[in-house]
Amino acid sequence: MGNDSAPHTDTAQPPYVEDPDALKQFVAAMPSLIVMLDAEGTVVACSDRWEDLFAPSSESEETDGTEARSFFDVFVDPDEVWADTFADCLADGETRRGYVRPLTRTDGTSYWVDWEVRPWRTGSPKAEIGGVLVYLSDRTGQHRAEVTRRQVEQRFDALIGTISEGVLLMDDRGIFRDCNDAAQDILGRPTDEIVGSRFNDDTWNGLREDGTPLPNVEFPFWRAYVERETVPDEVMGIYPPDAPPRWIRVNSQPLFHEGQDDPYAVLICFDDITDEKLKEEALQTSRDLLSSVLSSSLDAITVLSTVRGETGRIVDFECELVNPQAEKLIGHTADSLVGHRLRRIMPEQEENGLYDAYCEVVETGEPMETEVQYETEEGMAWFQVMAVSVDDGVAVTFRNITERKEAAQAMAAANAKLERRNRALRDFAYIASHDLQEPLRKIRAFSNLVLEDYGDAVDETGQDYLARMQDAAERMSQLINDLLVYSRITTQAQPFEKVDLNRIAKNVRNDLDLRIAELDGTVEIGALPTIEADPTQIRQVFQNLIGNALKFHKPDEPPRVEVDATVEPASESLQQNGRLAASCSEMCRLTVRDNGIGFEESYTDRIFSPFKRLHGRDEYEGTGMGLAICRRIVERHGGDISVESRPGDGTTFTVLLPVARGEGDSASEGARSTDPATSA
């Protein structure tokens, strides 16, 4: 019943007395709560304290003694708990005791008592039990305090369970006695790891805001206990198990009993500000980074906010920020610039049109870029000015481009010089195609007339001279034509376009059909890719390489030519030397392989030079310009050409060409100016 603990039974022999009156006197003299009952439950004797506490509630119940009053006249026993206890004790003669049992008077007054019921006998130990002695200890005050404490704790638990803040209750020894769910979530620990632990256990590790360790004795809730006053809004870091620190804002309130100077506990309320703290740290990092960028930037940077008139129209700008380079450019310190009007501190920006440009950037939101000249400490300098809209203002960057301007001017001068040289080359081509070819045509024409009209009059030696003269004129004409082709590779080039190498190679093979048939040779063409190139010049490369393979065949073996290609990553060496744009990612590796006579490896560089021949004119025809033309074309395309050969083992030419043209490719992509020689 209630909080009554299970009754304890004592098998010791009950007290016996020869004179019941002596026992009555003994009971009456006891200072504690004791009553002597007979077997019917009638009060035989009681102590003064019993009488004072449990006296009759009305005058009509008072008597001269206590004999006529029953225990159950004073106290109600609806569940017969007391009656059963008395009966059990009378039946077996054993003592019983218990704790915190309710005892309710007939007027409704309740008490909570620790109790002991002991039987008593008269005469010998084996005599009949005469009744029981009831010993009581009043625990009503303690019970009510405990009930009150439990109610407070329940209300406290209900309260802290409904708030989102973490709540801890720490006693005067620094031990955490209670916590809510939010505290568990924030601290990353279950209740059984929090409640019962002490604030300075090894499991609790703190951080100051600067990231240094915070000693446990400096935890704000312990300081609140030691200092006996509230410690509000303290920010600290706390480490959950195996996790980064959580940042909390703590309010610590010491709790006092009335009239006491020392707190019996500290109420700790805290909220999780980790996200807020991380955002602040990220923002500060961004600010530090921005400050570092502004300080280390080689560009002059200023931030200007608009100053508007009553109508809302921009009437000026106010300087909000300048970096060290801007201070150097303007010739004033940041202190003398920030907070001042643009038209006063930098009137030249209104004169050169920058002020109006800033206004347009603010109104339209479109960025602006221009170039202006400024007078600096080193003299006149060129600056690239870029302005972008920032809130209701502009961020302006001044970049010194003087060196770039001077380089551009130098490049323009070099281009002009190159153009003059190209013009001279075009003039040479014109002369070669007109002025030099014309005398050769006359030599051939007159020598033919001599042979036709005076052939009979000229002896055999004279005819041989005339034939040699015609042959020399023919070779001279071919040499001039080859030089003209060589010069036109860059001066009369065509724009790059998609070129199907299969189609080009097959067309060249068709052109050489008669020659191939005469030699009983073969030209095998594999799978070739499509690339961006000058189709006319690529055809010239195929014509020269396949033609050479047929020309330099073994006398006793039909020529066999194999043309093949693969696509592979772009050559870094070509990109590094500037012939190939860095954006070009793929190259076509074209190979032309034959079974011809071959040549010594020492001649691999010589054969690509103009007019270089490895054989006499009597052995093989040609001017020695074919491979030089090939190399010039390949280099113009941003590629490379190489050769491998051994005497008697044939020759393999390898040509590297970009598959697609990249922006900024140094190779010529546009058609050149018209060559005067085209009119020849």
Side-chain angles (χ1 to χ4, degrees):
M1 177 179 179
N3 288 343
D4 190 8
S5 61
H8 172 71
T9 301
D10 190 346
T11 58
Q13 289 293 326
Y16 66 93
V17 294
E18 294 181 357
D19 184 1
D21 291 336
L23 181 58
K24 293 178 185 178
Q25 294 174 3
F26 172 77
V27 170
M30 289 293 289
S32 58
L33 287 171
I34 183 171
V35 65
M36 181 179 177
L37 304 178
D38 63 14
E40 302 299 328
T42 302
V43 177
V44 178
C46 66
S47 65
D48 290 342
R49 189 177 176 199
W50 177 283
E51 185 68 24
D52 292 340
L53 186 61
F54 301 127
S57 58
S58 63
E59 294 181 1
S60 61
E61 296 175 346
E62 294 182 1
T63 62
D64 293 335
T66 59
E67 292 81 7
R69 188 174 53 189
S70 170
F71 180 88
F72 298 104
D73 291 336
V74 181
F75 302 102
V76 297
D77 188 21
D79 297 327
E80 298 184 350
V81 175
W82 288 103
D84 290 344
T85 302
F86 296 161
D88 292 342
C89 185
L90 292 171
D92 58 19
E94 295 179 356
T95 299
R96 285 170 170 76
R97 63 175 61 89
Y99 305 95
V100 197
R101 174 181 284 185
L103 185 64
T104 305
R105 291 179 55 174
T106 55
D107 64 0
T109 304
S110 294
Y111 302 89
W112 292 83
V113 295
D114 294 344
W115 55 273
E116 180 179 310
V117 177
R118 181 185 296 271
W120 59 270
R121 289 183 172 90
T122 59
S124 67
K126 296 183 179 180
E128 183 181 354
I129 296 174
V132 294
L133 294 173
V134 181
Y135 301 87
L136 299 179
S137 295
D138 187 4
R139 295 288 184 261
T140 304
Q142 294 92 321
H143 175 75
R144 289 174 179 171
E146 178 65 19
V147 171
T148 301
R149 184 187 66 78
R150 290 176 183 169
Q151 291 175 344
V152 170
E153 287 182 352
Q154 290 173 355
R155 292 169 183 165
F156 176 75
D157 291 342
L159 173 64
I160 66 175
T162 61
I163 62 177
S164 60
E165 289 185 348
V167 179
L168 294 173
L169 188 64
M170 184 185 74
D171 67 14
D172 55 359
R173 291 181 297 166
I175 297 175
F176 299 115
R177 293 302 183 185
D178 203 354
C179 70
N180 66 346
D181 292 341
Q184 299 177 58
D185 295 338
I186 295 173
L187 300 177
R189 301 173 185 271
T191 301
D192 58 1
E193 290 187 14
I194 299 175
V195 175
S197 66
R198 199 167 188 272
F199 80 96
N200 60 353
D201 288 348
D202 292 339
T203 56
W204 299 105
N205 298 300
L207 280 177
R208 293 189 178 96
E209 284 196 86
D210 62 5
T212 59
L214 177 66
N216 296 58
V217 293
E218 294 184 21
F219 284 6
F221 32 89
W222 186 248
R223 285 173 42 216
Y225 175 79
V226 172
E227 297 170 7
R228 274 55 171 169
E229 60 183 16
T230 301
V231 178
D233 295 329
E234 284 283 326
V235 175
M236 65 174 289
I238 196 80
Y239 280 95
D242 303 322
R246 306 293 297 176
W247 291 96
I248 55 177
R249 182 182 289 109
V250 186
N251 285 314
S252 304
Q253 174 70 49
L255 305 178
F256 299 88
H257 288 304
E258 186 175 356
Q260 297 294 320
D261 294 331
D262 294 333
Y264 66 88
V266 176
L267 181 63
I268 308 157
C269 298
F270 56 94
D271 56 348
D272 187 352
I273 61 169
T274 303
D275 291 342
E276 176 185 334
K277 188 74 173 175
L278 293 178
K279 289 178 182 178
E280 288 180 0
E281 291 177 355
L283 181 60
Q284 186 60 45
T285 300
S286 298
R287 289 171 178 164
D288 294 342
L289 179 60
L290 177 60
S291 176
S292 176
V293 169
L294 291 175
S295 299
S296 60
S297 175
L298 299 178
D299 298 334
I301 301 174
T302 62
V303 176
L304 308 172
S305 61
T306 59
V307 178
R308 297 182 180 271
E310 295 180 357
T311 62
R313 187 176 64 86
I314 299 175
V315 296
D316 207 337
F317 288 90
E318 185 174 293
C319 183
E320 290 190 351
L321 180 148
V322 293
N323 72 338
Q325 286 297 325
E327 294 180 85
K328 182 178 179 181
L329 170 64
I330 300 170
H332 296 283
T333 63
D335 292 339
S336 62
L337 296 173
V338 174
H340 295 280
R341 300 289 179 88
L342 175 69
R343 299 170 81 173
R344 184 183 68 81
I345 58 177
M346 288 180 279
E348 66 277 4
Q349 295 203 10
E350 187 172 13
E351 297 169 3
N352 58 26
L354 290 180
Y355 173 85
D356 293 335
Y358 299 159
C359 292
E360 185 175 352
V361 169
V362 174
E363 299 296 344
T364 65
E366 296 294 327
M368 175 276 294
E369 182 176 333
T370 187
E371 295 178 357
V372 297
Q373 236 180 341
Y374 258 102
E375 179 71 34
T376 67
E377 296 178 357
E378 291 80 15
M380 293 300 294
W382 280 96
F383 289 89
Q384 179 187 41
V385 183
M386 294 166 284
V388 295
S389 177
V390 178
D391 295 330
D392 193 27
V394 289
V396 186
T397 301
F398 287 80
R399 178 171 298 168
N400 193 323
I401 58 170
T402 304
E403 291 184 2
R404 192 175 76 187
K405 274 284 189 180
E406 292 174 350
Q409 293 171 353
M411 182 178 292
N415 286 339
K417 185 176 181 180
L418 181 61
E419 179 58 30
R420 288 194 297 271
R421 291 182 178 178
N422 285 339
R423 190 181 301 111
L425 186 58
R426 291 194 296 271
D427 292 343
F428 166 76
Y430 179 84
I431 292 172
S433 61
H434 288 78
D435 297 353
L436 294 180
Q437 291 282 18
E438 182 61 25
L440 291 175
R441 283 194 290 270
K442 289 183 178 180
I443 291 173
R444 290 199 301 272
F446 283 119
S447 62
N448 284 334
L449 289 175
V450 170
L451 287 174
E452 291 175 1
D453 297 342
Y454 304 98
D456 296 338
V458 179
D459 60 14
E460 184 176 347
T461 301
Q463 290 184 358
D464 180 58
Y465 289 161
L466 288 173
R468 290 188 181 186
M469 181 175 63
Q470 285 186 318
D471 182 61
E474 185 65 30
R475 284 190 290 104
M476 184 64 179
S477 178
Q478 182 61 44
L479 185 61
I480 293 172
N481 286 334
D482 287 345
L483 279 173
L484 192 59
V485 170
Y486 187 78
S487 68
R488 287 176 175 173
I489 290 174
T490 55
T491 61
Q492 204 175 16
Q494 299 301 313
F496 292 144
E497 60 185 64
K498 295 287 185 182
V499 175
D500 184 353
L501 296 184
N502 275 302
R503 184 176 60 82
I504 296 290
K506 290 176 181 178
N507 287 343
V508 170
R509 183 176 62 182
N510 291 339
D511 291 345
L512 297 172
D513 271 349
L514 291 178
R515 180 61 174 162
I516 295 171
E518 287 177 3
L519 300 172
D520 194 23
T522 58
V523 176
E524 298 178 0
I525 299 174
L528 307 182
T530 297
I531 66 172
E532 291 184 19
D534 182 333
T536 301
Q537 292 186 351
I538 293 299
R539 181 186 179 89
Q540 183 75 56
V541 171
F542 275 109
Q543 183 82 31
N544 290 357
L545 294 180
I546 296 176
N548 273 5
L550 295 174
K551 181 196 302 184
F552 297 104
H553 68 278
K554 297 176 182 177
D556 56 350
E557 185 178 345
R560 185 178 69 256
V561 184
E562 298 175 1
V563 181
D564 209 345
T566 58
V567 175
E568 59 187 44
S571 168
E572 293 185 2
S573 61
L574 293 180
Q575 291 175 332
Q576 291 172 356
N577 64 27
R579 284 161 52 189
L580 180 65
S583 58
C584 179
S585 60
E586 291 183 324
M587 299 286 289
C588 168
R589 178 180 290 272
L590 177 69
T591 58
V592 179
R593 185 179 296 104
D594 64 50
N595 63 339
I597 61 175
F599 58 85
E600 294 289 347
E601 188 177 353
S602 58
Y603 295 124
T604 53
D605 291 332
R606 176 181 176 186
I607 62 173
F608 291 109
S609 300
F611 308 118
K612 297 298 182 181
R613 299 171 53 91
L614 302 184
H615 307 280
R617 285 190 298 271
D618 295 338
E619 296 179 82
Y620 298 97
E621 60 182 7
T623 61
M625 288 294 294
L627 293 179
I629 291 172
C630 287
R631 182 166 71 174
R632 188 75 179 274
I633 291 173
V634 170
E635 289 179 349
R636 184 240 163 178
H637 281 71
D640 191 36
I641 185 170
S642 60
V643 63
E644 293 180 1
S645 183
R646 284 193 303 178
D649 287 343
T651 302
T652 299
F653 284 92
T654 300
V655 180
L656 292 176
L657 293 170
V659 173
R661 315 307 305 182
E663 293 183 6
D665 199 327
S666 61
S668 171
E669 297 185 13
R672 303 297 178 178
S673 56
T674 303
D675 190 340
T678 57
S679 60

